[in-house]
Amino acid sequence: RLIVNPGGGTSIRGANPTLDLQSSSGSFGDVAKIRAYHGGVSMRELGSIVFDPVNAASSDIIFSTRNSNTVTERLRIDADGEVGIGTNNATTAGAWFEADSGSSGYHGLKLSSGGTEKWLIGGYGSNNFTIKDGGTGGDERFTIVDGTGNIGINSTSPTTTLDVGGTLQVSGISTFNGNVNIPDSTSNSPALRL
């Protein structure tokens, strides 16, 4: 049955569960809420979807679930279209996804711990795929160049199929179907070709 409360709010009730549609006033305007309840007389909130204005011109959508008798925010779509998982803010995100970010140039998945960005998986400033240690301001550890497919490990601009910046350790048998060049350390010219 449908119940419209004179003081505000609408409920859709069956035997169980109950779905309440509510609105309340916030600092930037009205907040709309959809909350699910279960439990008859001792109604327990199961979760909610909240449409929360962040300023006079935009709003976030917040999804919450119940765990151990506490309803907690689990996912937020902010006014810019960014999706935060396990947080309400991109800067403190456990995981933050930006499908497209014209302002920062970053797009992808940001992984954080304790409010500090740890990894960026995605891209920035180009169509290359990259994994960065330290989030958006960190160092590139892995890159695949768009168009060529060249792979760089600790190399931001790989010019060959595999470009490794640093020491390489190979265990087991390695097979090479072509020339192996061992460059001179000072001129980078082949000193030994096998």
Side-chain angles (χ1 to χ4, degrees):
R1 80 187 160 186
L2 179 66
I3 301 169
V4 179
N5 298 318
T10 303
S11 297
I12 302 170
R13 296 187 181 201
N16 263 321
T18 297
L19 183 64
D20 282 345
L21 311 175
Q22 303 173 342
S23 66
S24 60
S25 186
S27 58
F28 293 109
D30 291 334
V31 176
K33 301 176 184 177
I34 301 171
R35 291 184 173 174
Y37 292 90
H38 188 279
V41 176
S42 61
M43 299 291 278
R44 295 185 309 270
E45 184 177 346
L46 300 174
S48 64
I49 303 171
V50 177
F51 302 87
D52 184 22
V54 293
N55 58 44
S58 58
S59 65
D60 293 353
I61 301 174
I62 303 164
F63 297 84
S64 299
T65 63
R66 179 186 185 92
N67 185 23
S68 300
N69 294 320
T70 303
V71 176
T72 306
E73 178 176 331
R74 301 298 183 192
L75 184 136
R76 177 181 292 242
I77 303 171
D78 77 4
D80 295 323
E82 298 172 347
V83 177
I85 302 169
T87 183
N88 63 5
N89 188 315
T91 59
T92 61
W96 195 260
F97 178 73
E98 293 182 28
D100 187 15
S101 178
S103 60
S104 68
Y106 293 96
H107 52 275
L109 181 65
K110 296 177 186 176
L111 301 176
S112 300
S113 175
T116 303
E117 286 184 15
K118 298 295 185 183
W119 294 94
L120 169 74
I121 302 168
Y124 65 95
S126 72
N127 291 326
N128 295 346
F129 173 81
T130 188
I131 298 175
K132 292 186 79 177
D133 180 5
T136 55
D139 297 320
E140 277 188 46
R141 299 299 184 196
F142 182 84
T143 303
I144 301 175
V145 176
D146 181 50
T148 66
N150 290 346
I151 297 172
I153 299 174
N154 284 339
S155 173
T156 59
S157 303
T159 56
T160 59
T161 304
L162 178 61
D163 187 343
V164 179
T167 303
L168 176 66
Q169 179 176 335
V170 179
S171 298
I173 298 172
S174 300
T175 302
F176 300 93
N177 294 323
N179 292 335
V180 176
N181 296 319
I182 300 174
D184 179 295
S185 62
T186 55
S187 67
N188 214 24
S189 302
L192 178 64
R193 177 175 284 180
L194 304 174

